[in-house]
């Protein structure tokens, strides 16, 4: 396998993806809007691209690599945000909401 794929899987998906997961949880836990996941994801993508450049001699100004990495990080943050928001709504308002799948909730009494 190419070294670039290992860098992507280990550094981008596992390490920066873990930071992105925590970012989504933090944004949802403080009841901030979902668009902040996108804004902070863009910044995290730039930081991740710099770390790949400085640690693994990756290309710093590669637009394609930045977009791929950032899309992955934002997707992880959005999944984390949605799951945390569902958990918070059900725990904080148990008389009104119930879980509907892993990432969803619904009002009680509706099908």
């Amino acid at each position: 396998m190419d070294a670039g794929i290992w860098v992507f899987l280990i550094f981008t998906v596992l390490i920066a993806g873990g930071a992105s997961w925590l970012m989504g949880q933090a944004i949802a836990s403080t009841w901030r809007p979902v668009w902040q996941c996108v804004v902070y994801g863009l910044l995290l993508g730039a930081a991740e691209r710099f770390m790949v450049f400085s640690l693994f001699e990756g290309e710093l100004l590669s637009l394609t690599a930045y977009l791929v990495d950032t899309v992955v990080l934002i997707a992880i943050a959005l999944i984390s945000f949605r799951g945390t928001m569902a958990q918070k709504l059900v725990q904080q308002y148990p008389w009104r909401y119930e879980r509907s799948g892993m990432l969803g909730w619904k009002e009680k009494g509706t099908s």
Side-chain angles (χ1 to χ4, degrees):
M1 256 191 188
D2 187 42
I5 292 177
W6 286 109
V7 169
F8 175 77
L9 290 176
I10 293 173
F11 191 75
T12 302
V13 175
L14 290 180
I15 296 173
S20 183
W21 183 268
L22 294 173
M23 175 184 67
Q25 285 183 335
I27 291 171
S29 294
T30 54
W31 298 98
R32 290 186 280 163
V34 69
W35 61 263
Q36 289 188 358
C37 287
V38 176
V39 173
Y40 291 134
L42 293 170
L43 295 173
L44 184 61
E48 187 271 339
R49 188 90 298 253
F50 175 75
M51 296 297 276
V52 168
F53 165 74
S54 62
L55 294 175
F56 304 106
E57 299 178 359
E59 190 176 343
L60 178 62
L61 300 176
S62 171
L63 181 62
T64 305
Y66 170 74
L67 290 176
V68 169
D69 294 349
T70 303
V71 165
V72 169
L73 296 176
I74 290 174
I76 292 170
L78 291 174
I79 291 169
S80 173
F81 178 90
R82 182 72 179 188
T84 303
M85 189 61 75
Q87 178 185 10
K88 285 183 66 65
L89 281 171
V90 170
Q91 284 180 349
Q92 191 158 346
Y93 305 107
W95 64 89
R96 184 165 184 183
Y97 299 111
E98 60 187 358
R99 287 300 286 249
S100 176
M102 286 180 53
L103 301 176
W105 64 90
K106 64 179 181 177
E107 290 196 32
K108 284 198 171 179
T110 61
S111 0

